[in-house]
Structures are given as structure tokens and as C-alpha cells.
Amino acid sequence: MSVGLIALIVLGMAVVGYVIGRSRSLSLAASQDRRLHSLPSYYGQAVALFTAVPALLVLGAWLFVQPIVVETRVSEMIPESAIPEGGALSLVMADVRRIAGGLDALMTSAGLSEGDLARMSAETTNLRERLGGVGVALGSDVSAPVFEAAKAMRAANNAGSLAMTIAVLALALVAGGYMLSRVSPDMRARNISETFVKALLIGASTVAILTTAGIVLSLLSETINFFRMYPATEFFFSTVWNPQFRGGSELGIIPLLWGTFYVSFVALLFAVPIGLMIAIYLSEYASKTVRSLAKPAIEVLAGIPTIVYGLFALITVGPLLRDWLAQPLGLGNSSSSVLTAGLVMGIMLIPFVSSLSDDIINAVPQSLRDGSYGLGATQSETIRQVILPAALPGVVGAVLLAASRAIGETMIVVMGAGAAAKLSLNPLEAMTTVTVKIVSQLTGDTEFASPETLVAFALGLTLFTFTLGLNIVALVIVRKYREQYE
Amino acid sequence: MTDLTASPANAAAPRPSSLLTLDARTKRRNAAEARFRMMGAIAVAIAVLALVGLLVSILGNGLSSFRQTHVTLEVFLDPAKLDKAGDRDPAKIAKVTTFGYAPLIQAAMQTAIEKAGATTEGVNAKQAAGLISDEAAATLRRFVMAHPERIGETLSFPMLANGRVDGYFKGRVTMESAALDRNISPEQLQLADKLRAAGVIEMKFNWGLFTAPDASDTRPEAAGLGVAILGSAYMMLIVLVLALPIGVAASIYLEEFAPKNRWTDLIEVNISNLAAVPSIVFGILGLAVFINFVGLPQSAPIVGGLVLTLMTLPTIIIATRAALKAVPPSIRDAALGVGASKMQSIMHHVLPLAAPGILTGTIIGLAQALGETAPLLLIGMVAFVREYPGAPPEGFFDPASALPVQVYNWTQRGDPAFIERASGAIIVLLIFLMAMNIIAIILRRRFERRW
């Protein structure tokens, strides 16, 4: 039975449980001539919740755990000899998984019965060809232990899903029935269902923690795998980035970090002064009409997806800079360059910087302004000598937040900065960044157990650490600063 | 004080100043003021210009993709070629491959040229048929497979023109560039001009852009967004179904119930940090957890939807908490005062009042998710997908593409016609985003209550 169907049945049972629970509470109250503790709908709600929630939770957990259990059991079946020279168990297991999945398709297309499958063996049938016929492509011929393992995996999967169906439906029946049996006018149905709902709310709020844990654990575990295959010192201190899918790659992070910081620096150089000046102009100088026109325009800039900026860099800014700046100056002839990506990223960051600075400038108390005007300062003198120094910590926080966005930005650099890992000062040359390399190492058909793929996780962890650090520092600064004037 | 009394010499010499004439220092200060103001105005102008430049560049490149060159031909569905046995058996008709249909189109093209009197020197029959997209034969075959009874008739078919011909009428391909091009010759373009004058070739609205699936590198004219729009819609559905309840539940707990302790502090810090984690990191999470660990299929909308859900949650939680906070405490107090439980006061009174704010936040979160590209690249949505995903829920597990990823995909191809398509796709994406944002604004204007 498919998972969706099971879930639908459970939900249907919950609806039935609601109706029965509600009517049972009413009929009991009428027959015993007593008042109900709670409103009748709460009795129905309690039954429905007990029917649906535990069963669905078990369903989710089962889907998560079953593949892991089956994998470990099946992988024990594969002898050392079945693993090809220089290969890994995980590759063999990938084949096993694919064959197991293909067997079902094979059975339906060829009309085989379970008995036919049990008699089928790797020696007598050309499995590779037959599986290829149903759309399961295999890299090599199927050996006997692998085929046996695949058969075992298929059997275990089928048994598992049958057990899951029974367990989930039984749990829904038992838990719902238990609650139904407890329905009586004395039962504190509202308290029970409210406690239950509150538990659900708490569960929902832990999703954020689970996400962070998932990010950190997945990054860490794969990074550790990577450092088992590739020395950490080489990764952190080598200045050469040259992945070779035949092996013998050099995976030094330094050129990538250099590109990342260079692009981010150019972007901030462009975005911070402009964003800050926009915030100042709009909050201190602009007339109402200018404000009502310019502010939405800048907010639109904030709502545009980064892929649009990427395309802008690729088809407009890149060629423009190449034809008017790079080639006349003889500094390069590639349309993707640090300056292209930096400029476009700067445009993306303008609304971010300006709205943060706007908040911060508005948070400076009016009394400071009035004091300054009272001493005869002009508006710009007040801004430069009173407001900005007072707002400085907040502005620094905003710049750090913008820097963290710039470092983590992907599409603009993928489409605008280029793919060559270089250590160069020339901003009109193509360079590459950490995020570009994460994308290029993880897209396309690559074996998952090679250092060339796993390096992406180490890069991801580096990126995550940098942005997390910047965010925390920025938040601390902004929070401290806010307290100062509250 | 001492300074003032210690400099009587300065004070003694009265300066020739008046409030009516500006002295040099005031002029300098006023000039500085004007300069500063000017800088502010310039900054605003740069931002607005950047926006205008961005939109002009995208619109300028992309608007032409909404019109497409079509060639309308009278095709004789020759029974001798398509159905030699003459018994209209679909299995036998299916044996005729797309190559078998090419001669029909070639013949139809010749008739059309003769009828239009457009015979051109240096263009043979094969080259003339080259004006038509390779996709046309496949379309014709699909039609015949669906209507085998029409074999033997002569039918009028609108067919896609080749990408170069389309580019020629849109100004992307010129006679000079065609002379250097292996795929098209200037003579062919002259023929195309004549056929256009005769009305055989015409520009029509490009419905294919919205309905057709992606096409291979050599057939940009046939590439469409159908699979991508469907994939994006599936993902938005998943995000909506998962992120809205979870986000609202989490916000209610944090805003209304949570005691002030370490645990809730931890949750809050987590949420604000997740809002700032680069999107690509969520892609890595999706790859490691949903694909490698749980074993969900690559390129499937379900994985994309889950990843985007996790990304959108912080946005929805922050918006929902703000909306809950905006409901005045007097509402809660009044509910509690007439005997409602805390849960009842929230579910029956606070939540309905906060609903417009929550919806606005959700729509804005969805708009963000719709435009997100980087995490989807990592979970395999760049794959070339020509098959439409099935109906949900099974369709959630079929390979699909997504709008922004399709844009990226097209920019990586060689033919410049794909850049036009990519810009067109961006326009479609921006229209969707604009619609969502306008709905959000209307919701806010209509239903938001201020206390």
C-alpha cells in the first residue's frame, strides 16, 4: 500500500473518530442525565487527535528508519570478494539498490511471479540486458552475491512496508479506540486535547533546531569523510585548486576564498556608500513625492530573485564591462569577471544596506538632532558629525550582515564571476568563489565517495562558519546598539 | 569660559559681516550642504537607474520570445509512406520513425514554394525544408499516431520555424552572420523573406513557451517552460502545505506559550540564524539528508519542496510572530475574562485577527521560494527533463524542473536563441512574483486592522 494511501486512511479514521467521539459524549450525557465537562466537539477532537497523530508520527519515523535498517542488513550479505578492486562497498550497494528497484519493474513488464524470481539466478539470466530493457541501466554485469543481496533487499523492503501498513493502521485503531473508550461526561476532554495541541505546537517549534542540527551534522560528517581522504592542511593552505576526476586533484581553498572576498569587497564598496546615502537622503532630505516613488522602487530591487541579477550580469553588465573597460585597457577579455559579479551583487545589496541603515538612522533620538541644530549646524553637518557617529555601530552591523549575504550569494557569481580559480589582483579577470565551486562539484554525474565531490561539503562548512560568525557578530553589535537608546 | 575672556583682541576687531551677505565660511558650509544633498540624490538615482537598466535589459532581450515564427504548410499524409499495408494498424504506423516524416514536410515545403512563386536560386529541397524546425516531424508523427484515420488527407499544419529563421525575423541573425553559419545560408533567408511576403511564414503568439517541455540544444525554437512551471507549482504547493502550518504552530508557541528559558532562547537564536544562512547550504542539506540519507529521488519536486520549506520557515515564522504581536492584549484579556481557556482565546480570537498578516507573510515567503535557484541546482533539478511529471501525489516524486533553474539551464547552452528564451522565462517568473506581491499588498490593505 502506498504511503499516501495509508496517510489518507488514517486521516479518514480520524474524521470518523471525531464524529463517533462527539456523538458518544452527547448520548452518554443524555443517558446518564449529566452535564459534560467540556463542549462535545472537544471529545471528538481528543479521539481524532489520538487516532491520527501517533499513527502519522510512526509512519514518518518508519519511512526514515526502514531504509537504514535494510541497508545495513543487506550490506552484511555482500562478501569482500564481490567488491571490485579499488571500489567501495557504497558503490556496490548503489548497484544493489538499483537492481532491487528494477526487479519490480521487470516483474510487471515480463509477467514474472515470485517463484520465477526466486529461481532466477545471475548465472543463467542476462540480468544486465533485461534490467536495461525496463530502464535500469547498470555499469557492469550482475554478480551472484550482488543479485542475491538485491533479492534480499527487495524482500526486506516489501516485508517492511507490509509491517508498516499493519503497524500504522493498528496504532491508529488502538489509540483512537482507547480514547473512545474513555469518553464519559467526567472526562476532561478540553484539557486533554489542549495539552495535545500544545505538544504539537512545541514540536513544530523544534523544526528550526532540527534544521540547524541537520545542516551541521550533514556538513560535519561529510567533511570528516573528506579529510580522511584528503589532508586538511593541503585543503586549508594549498594555493592551487585543480580537481581531476581521475584522481590526484589539488583542492586548496585559498584561491576560492580570495575570489569570494574580492567579489564581496567590490560589492560592498559599491553597495555600502550608495545604500547609506540613500537611507540618509530618503529619511532626512527627500520630499514626500520623491520618497513615495524611490522607496518602492528600491524595495522592488530587494524582491528580485538572484537568478535575474545573474542573467543581468551575464548578458548585459559582463559584455559591457568587457567592451568598454577591459579590452580598451588591455586588462582582460572575458565577460565574466570580479568586477561584473561585484557590481551586480552590489546592486542586489543596495536595498539590503539602505533598509537596515534606514532603521538605524531613525533609531537615533530626535534630541541629538535638535541639539545639533540648536548649535547652528547645518543638516549635513548634523548627519556627518552627530547622527552617523551615533549610528556607527549599527551601520557596522548592517555592513557585516551585507557581507555575509555577499559571501553566501551563489547565482550571481555562478553566472558572472567565472570558473577559473586564480589568485590575482586584476578585477577584470575571471575568478571563482566558494559557492561556485560547491555548485560545480555537486552538479553533474559524479561518484559520491570521491574527494572531488566531498570537498563541496568542506567548502560548505567553511561558508556556513563564515556567515554564521558574521551574523552573530552583527546581531550582537546591533542589539547592543539598540539597547543604548532604549 | 577662559577661552572667551582670553581673546579680547579678536572680539575687539569687529568683522565686516552682515546677516544679509554671506561670508566665505557660510558659503563653504552651504556648498558642502548642497554637495552632500547632491550625493544623496545621486545615490538614489543610481539605484533607480540600476533597476531600470535591469528591467530594460531583461525586457529588451526577452519580450521577443513571446512571439515565434511559424510556417504553415499543407501536408499530404501520404499513405504510401506512413501506412504501406493500408489497414491503419497503430502498431505498424508507430514503426515509421520521425525520419520517415521528413520527406512529407519536404514535399509540402516544395508545393508551398511553388504556390508562392518563391523559388530561390541555390536552395535545394532539403535546404528549403531546413527552414522548418526538426521538431516539426516529431509533432507531425504525434498527430498521425493520435489520428490514424486521417492518413491520406491533406491537412494544414502550423509548424515551428528553425531557430535561425526565427532569429532572422527578430533581428538576431543577419545575412552576414548567416554567411558564416553552418546551419543556415543567406539564400535560405532570402527564401524565408519571400515566403513571409507570401504569408506562408508568419509570427504568432508563442503558446509553446508556456506549454512545451524543454528541448535539446539544437532546437531552441521548441523549448518551453511547461515542465518547469508545473515543477515550480508542485514545489510551491508542498511549501504551502508544510511551511504554513508548521510556521504558524511554531510562532503561536513561541509568541503565546513559551516560557522564557534557555530552550526557547535556543529556538529563537536558531530561527534568526536560519534566516541568514546562505541558500546554497540548504541545498547541501537537501542533498545529504533527503537524497543520500532518506533516499528520495533526485530532481523530484518533493525534495525541492522540502528544501524550500525549510528555507521559507524562518520568513513565515518572523511574519507570523509580528502579526500575532500586533493583536492587542485586550482581545486576549477579554476572551480570558469570559471564561475561555488560553488555547481558545488564541485559536478563536487572536489567530483569526492575525490571519491577514500571516497570509501576507506567507505569500512573500512563497515568492522568495519561487525565485530561489541555488539549492535546487544541488538536488539535481538541472537535469534535462522532457517528460511532464504525473499528477500529485505520485507526480511529486517524478523528475521535474523549476522556473529559475530552467533559466539557468538555458543560459548554459551555446545557441544565443536560448538567451532570448531565458529572458522570456525571467519575464514569466517576474510576472508570477509581481502577481503574488500585489495579492499580498491587496490583502494587507484590505484586511489589516490597526488598533
Side-chain angles (χ1 to χ4, degrees):
Chain A
M1 217 184 283
S2 83
V3 177
L5 193 60
I6 298 177
L8 268 184
I9 292 178
V10 170
L11 289 180
M13 286 165 76
V15 172
V16 173
Y18 177 87
V19 175
I20 297 179
R22 187 172 178 280
S23 62
R24 189 174 144 87
S25 72
L26 281 172
S27 68
L28 281 178
S31 68
Q32 297 175 8
D33 196 21
R34 283 165 64 189
R35 289 179 53 151
L36 289 170
H37 168 269
S38 315
L39 291 171
S41 63
Y42 279 106
Y43 293 89
Q45 213 177 53
V47 176
L49 284 171
F50 267 79
T51 311
V53 176
L56 291 181
L57 284 181
V58 167
L59 180 64
W62 198 298
L63 287 177
F64 203 67
V65 173
Q66 184 182 316
I68 304 167
V69 174
V70 171
E71 291 257 314
T72 42
R73 261 215 254 141
V74 170
S75 64
E76 280 163 12
M77 286 179 62
I78 294 176
E80 286 289 326
S81 57
I83 301 170
E85 196 74 29
L89 180 64
S90 62
L91 296 183
V92 180
M93 282 306 292
D95 266 355
V96 171
R97 238 174 287 138
R98 247 180 307 177
I99 298 169
L103 283 178
D104 275 318
L106 187 63
M107 281 176 70
T108 45
S109 79
L112 298 175
S113 71
E114 288 291 332
D116 292 337
L117 184 68
R119 278 191 299 280
M120 203 195 268
S121 75
E123 283 84 9
T124 52
T125 352
N126 188 352
L127 274 164
R128 190 178 173 189
E129 198 171 287
R130 294 194 69 174
L131 285 171
V134 291
V136 181
L138 292 173
S140 61
D141 281 330
V142 182
S143 69
V146 169
F147 184 54
E148 289 309 313
K151 277 205 261 185
M153 178 180 259
R154 184 177 159 275
N157 275 337
N158 286 351
S161 39
L162 184 67
M164 175 178 77
T165 313
I166 295 171
V168 168
L169 295 183
L171 183 64
L173 265 183
V174 169
Y178 167 73
M179 209 64 234
L180 202 58
S181 73
R182 282 197 50 201
V183 168
S184 71
D186 284 339
M187 187 178 107
R188 300 172 155 228
R190 193 186 77 186
N191 305 38
I192 291 175
S193 80
E194 283 187 355
T195 317
F196 206 105
V197 170
K198 197 170 158 189
L200 286 183
L201 297 185
I202 295 176
S205 70
T206 52
V207 170
I209 292 186
L210 288 180
T211 311
T212 312
I215 290 175
V216 172
L217 284 181
S218 58
L219 285 177
L220 263 183
S221 68
E222 299 292 354
T223 305
I224 290 169
N225 277 344
F226 169 67
F227 284 141
R228 283 214 193 98
M229 291 181 217
Y230 192 86
T233 46
E234 285 277 304
F235 175 69
F236 284 117
F237 300 110
S238 164
T239 56
V240 182
W241 173 271
N242 181 21
Q244 296 284 331
F245 277 92
R246 273 165 269 115
S249 326
E250 292 174 274
L251 304 167
I253 197 177
I254 288 181
L256 308 186
L257 282 182
W258 167 249
T260 305
F261 288 130
Y262 202 177
V263 172
S264 307
F265 177 73
V266 172
L268 290 176
L269 208 62
F270 184 69
V272 170
I274 291 181
L276 199 57
M277 280 314 290
I278 288 176
I280 291 171
Y281 186 79
L282 289 185
S283 65
E284 306 278 333
Y285 286 111
S287 66
K288 241 189 169 161
T289 43
V290 172
R291 216 180 135 86
S292 67
L293 286 175
K295 217 162 182 198
I298 289 163
E299 273 166 21
V300 166
L301 223 45
I304 291 177
T306 53
I307 180 83
V308 183
Y309 287 104
L311 192 67
F312 185 49
L314 186 75
I315 62 180
T316 308
V317 179
L320 209 71
L321 286 179
R322 179 193 58 199
D323 296 343
W324 293 91
L325 203 63
Q327 282 177 342
L329 291 177
L331 284 173
N333 44 19
S334 112
S335 74
S336 44
S337 67
V338 170
L339 195 60
T340 308
L343 270 183
V344 175
M345 200 192 280
I347 297 175
M348 181 199 81
L349 289 177
I350 285 175
F352 192 70
V353 175
S354 82
S355 76
L356 278 173
S357 322
D358 200 31
D359 292 348
I360 292 154
I361 288 170
N362 284 333
V364 175
Q366 189 62 29
S367 58
L368 291 186
R369 270 166 244 214
D370 294 345
S372 170
Y373 293 145
L375 288 172
T378 65
Q379 221 169 344
S380 66
E381 285 163 353
T382 307
I383 292 164
R384 270 181 297 185
Q385 290 163 20
V386 178
I387 296 179
L388 281 187
L392 191 64
V395 172
V396 171
V399 171
L400 290 182
L401 282 179
S404 119
R405 292 257 320 233
I407 289 175
E409 175 46 49
T410 310
M411 291 324 291
I412 295 175
V413 283
V414 164
M415 294 164 83
K422 255 180 275 182
L423 277 169
S424 157
L425 270 175
N426 179 358
L428 292 166
E429 224 173 298
M431 270 176 235
T432 196
T433 69
V434 173
T435 47
V436 174
K437 284 304 158 194
I438 293 178
V439 170
S440 68
Q441 299 307 106
L442 284 181
T443 48
D445 295 322
T446 49
E447 281 307 343
F448 212 77
S450 67
E452 287 77 18
T453 308
L454 289 177
V455 70
F457 289 90
L459 293 176
L461 188 62
T462 318
L463 184 70
F464 182 71
T465 319
F466 267 112
T467 51
L468 192 70
L470 279 174
N471 284 327
I472 289 176
V473 172
L475 284 180
V476 166
I477 291 177
V478 170
R479 196 173 287 178
K480 267 237 166 89
Y481 162 78
R482 281 217 182 112
E483 280 163 8
Q484 209 179 325
Y485 290 117
E486 262 166 16
Chain B
M1 278 317 225
T2 45
D3 282 354
L4 277 180
T5 46
S7 53
N10 272 352
R15 279 183 300 171
S17 84
S18 145
L19 280 176
L20 297 176
T21 55
L22 296 173
D23 61 14
R25 184 157 165 273
T26 316
K27 270 189 195 149
R28 216 176 54 234
R29 287 176 65 199
N30 283 350
E33 173 75 27
R35 270 205 306 278
F36 193 74
R37 218 186 143 132
M38 197 61 171
M39 275 159 58
I42 289 173
V44 174
I46 289 179
V48 173
L49 269 182
L51 176 67
V52 171
L54 183 77
L55 292 180
V56 165
S57 141
I58 300 290
L59 290 178
N61 275 295
L63 275 181
S64 58
S65 70
F66 291 102
R67 296 182 68 71
Q68 186 78 28
T69 313
H70 285 79
V71 187
T72 311
L73 292 182
E74 304 281 328
V75 182
F76 174 51
L77 298 177
D78 189 356
K81 287 206 172 101
L82 302 181
D83 189 20
K84 280 177 192 145
D87 52 5
R88 304 290 186 266
D89 180 4
K92 279 181 200 156
I93 299 173
K95 288 221 174 96
V96 182
T97 56
T98 7
F99 289 112
Y101 287 81
L104 300 184
I105 295 174
Q106 205 167 315
M109 192 68 184
Q110 280 310 308
T111 344
I113 291 174
E114 277 159 31
K115 215 192 264 176
T119 326
T120 310
E121 282 285 309
V123 183
N124 60 28
K126 200 171 170 215
Q127 284 166 336
L131 294 182
I132 298 167
S133 164
D134 296 340
E135 195 73 15
T139 323
L140 195 61
R141 180 165 181 267
R142 241 172 286 145
F143 175 83
V144 172
M145 301 292 296
H147 307 277
E149 73 280 358
R150 316 220 35 185
I151 291 180
E153 295 176 34
T154 303
L155 296 167
S156 167
F157 278 102
M159 296 174 187
L160 288 169
N162 186 300
R164 304 294 153 110
V165 177
D166 184 49
Y168 173 62
F169 290 125
K170 288 173 181 168
R172 193 174 55 236
V173 174
T174 57
M175 287 292 176
E176 290 79 52
S177 74
L180 305 171
D181 198 331
R182 270 189 304 123
N183 296 313
I184 198 101
S185 66
E187 289 79 21
Q188 277 175 302
L189 293 181
Q190 281 162 11
L191 173 64
D193 268 336
K194 287 181 193 163
L195 286 175
R196 190 172 191 199
V200 176
I201 291 182
E202 54 189 344
M203 296 274 258
K204 285 190 199 160
F205 188 76
N206 188 5
W207 288 110
L209 182 66
F210 303 98
T211 54
D214 195 6
S216 69
D217 276 8
T218 50
R219 300 175 188 178
E221 65 277 1
L225 291 168
V227 175
I229 291 177
L230 206 57
S232 275
Y234 280 6
M235 283 194 277
M236 290 306 105
L237 199 67
I238 295 170
V239 173
L240 186 66
V241 167
L242 290 178
L244 184 61
I246 296 179
V248 171
S251 323
I252 291 178
Y253 176 68
L254 290 175
E255 200 57 42
E256 307 282 345
F257 290 103
K260 200 85 195 100
N261 60 20
R262 283 245 175 107
W263 180 247
T264 44
D265 267 356
L266 183 68
I267 295 177
E268 305 231 354
V269 170
N270 256 307
I271 290 171
S272 54
N273 273 329
L274 280 182
V277 166
S279 59
I280 191 162
V281 172
F282 284 96
I284 300 183
L285 171 78
L287 180 66
V289 173
F290 297 131
I291 292 180
N292 285 344
F293 192 67
V294 184
L296 290 171
Q298 283 210 338
S299 323
I302 180 85
V303 183
L306 286 171
V307 169
L308 293 179
T309 300
L310 295 181
M311 272 190 58
T312 321
L313 263 182
T315 318
I316 293 185
I317 291 180
I318 290 167
T320 307
R321 292 187 67 178
L324 289 174
K325 228 181 249 170
V327 176
S330 57
I331 306 269
R332 296 179 184 84
D333 296 343
L336 296 176
V338 295
S341 70
K342 186 151 190 190
M343 191 66 85
Q344 282 172 329
S345 81
I346 292 162
M347 293 294 175
H348 298 173
H349 302 284
V350 178
L351 202 56
L353 288 173
I358 296 173
L359 280 184
T360 315
T362 308
I363 293 172
I364 288 171
L366 278 182
Q368 255 177 36
L370 182 61
E372 197 54 67
T373 322
L376 301 183
L377 295 182
L378 298 193
I379 58 168
M381 299 212 80
V382 265
F384 178 71
V385 184
R386 259 198 79 95
E387 302 295 319
Y388 289 95
E394 280 78 26
F396 290 149
F397 295 87
D398 293 342
S401 186
L403 261 180
V405 181
Q406 192 68 67
V407 173
Y408 171 71
N409 209 336
W410 283 346
T411 60
Q412 302 306 102
R413 307 223 178 134
D415 198 317
F418 277 112
I419 294 288
E420 182 205 31
R421 296 260 150 175
S423 305
I426 288 273
I427 296 174
V428 175
L429 178 65
L430 287 180
I431 289 174
F432 276 123
L433 291 182
M434 213 162 73
M436 290 168 91
N437 278 298
I438 287 174
I439 292 174
I441 290 170
I442 290 174
L443 271 179
R444 194 184 313 179
R445 292 250 168 95
R446 247 344 259 274
F447 296 108
E448 195 178 49
R449 247 201 262 185
R450 296 200 178 276
W451 275 282

